[in-house]
Amino acid sequence: MIRAFGYNEFLFLLSAVQWTLMLSVIAFIGGGIVGLFVALGRTSDVKPLRLLATGYIQVFQGTPLLMQLFLVFFGATVIGIDMSPWVAAAVGLTLNTSAFLGEIWRGCIQSVPRGQWEAARSLGLRYPGLMRYVVLPQAVKVAVPPTVGYLVQVIKGTSLAAIIGFVELTRAGQIVNNATFQPFLVFSIVAAIYFALCWPLSLLSQRLEARYAAPSR
């Protein structure tokens, strides 16, 4: 039975925001941890590590996120693992995020002038010390704006988790639309909620970029 869109339907959409945010936070934190190792591997002096990290990034950047979610969700079943849509979405988004953050941070690490790398090596610093004391403290400033900006992509990417049955904001919109049959209204509200989540982060990324790009006095 078709019913009118009302207050309860709106509250259901709002309640789904918590799952979108939780999935985004898990994917961002998990992807950040894995992505740091990927970035360090990409800039390592050890060739096998560089090749492994490069291949990892190319696989996840070269395939659609939707296909990655399908492979995680259905692939787990093939090998006998009973994985819920929530876990599958978290794993798939974490792996995808780690590849993109790894490449972003690789560029930030390599933006540090090579002269400083060579000077640190001339002082006897090996790769771990070089990264810890010389390169990473400078790369962090460069990395903050694009990292915050990429968080917007993570939030929007969580909408694909609806395809494997995880009830986040987009899936909640589908459920409400099936009950009310008012797609324009329902998905306009869903889009407005996504905008409210992402727009402040986009502004923050722009301000951070302007702040760190400004010459120090």
Side-chain angles (χ1 to χ4, degrees), residues 21 26 37 48 106 117-118 144 154 207:
L21 293 177
I26 290 174
F37 288 102
R106 186 274 311 166
W117 294 60
E118 295 167 2
V144 168
V154 175
R207 290 188 177 183

Side-chain angles (χ1 to χ4, degrees), residues 94-110:
T94 294
L95 294 175
N96 182 269
T97 300
S98 67
F100 281 90
L101 287 181
E103 186 65 6
I104 290 171
W105 293 345
R106 186 274 311 166
C108 296
I109 289 172
Q110 292 183 337

Side-chain angles (χ1 to χ4, degrees), residues 22-40 56-57 60 89-105 147 150-151 154:
M22 287 178 63
L23 186 56
S24 300
V25 169
I26 290 174
F28 190 72
I29 294 176
I33 294 172
V34 178
L36 178 59
F37 288 102
V38 172
L40 293 176
Y56 180 89
I57 290 173
F60 284 98
V91 171
L93 284 165
T94 294
L95 294 175
N96 182 269
T97 300
S98 67
F100 281 90
L101 287 181
E103 186 65 6
I104 290 171
W105 293 345
T147 300
Y150 187 72
L151 180 55
V154 175

Side-chain angles (χ1 to χ4, degrees), residues 5-36:
F5 184 91
Y7 182 69
N8 290 332
E9 285 72 25
F10 181 69
L11 286 182
F12 180 68
L13 293 178
L14 286 182
S15 67
V17 172
Q18 64 180 322
W19 298 108
T20 291
L21 293 177
M22 287 178 63
L23 186 56
S24 300
V25 169
I26 290 174
F28 190 72
I29 294 176
I33 294 172
V34 178
L36 178 59

Side-chain angles (χ1 to χ4, degrees), residues 2 5 45 63 83 156 172 180:
I2 298 177
F5 184 91
D45 295 330
T63 55
M83 186 176 291
K156 292 190 292 185
T180 63

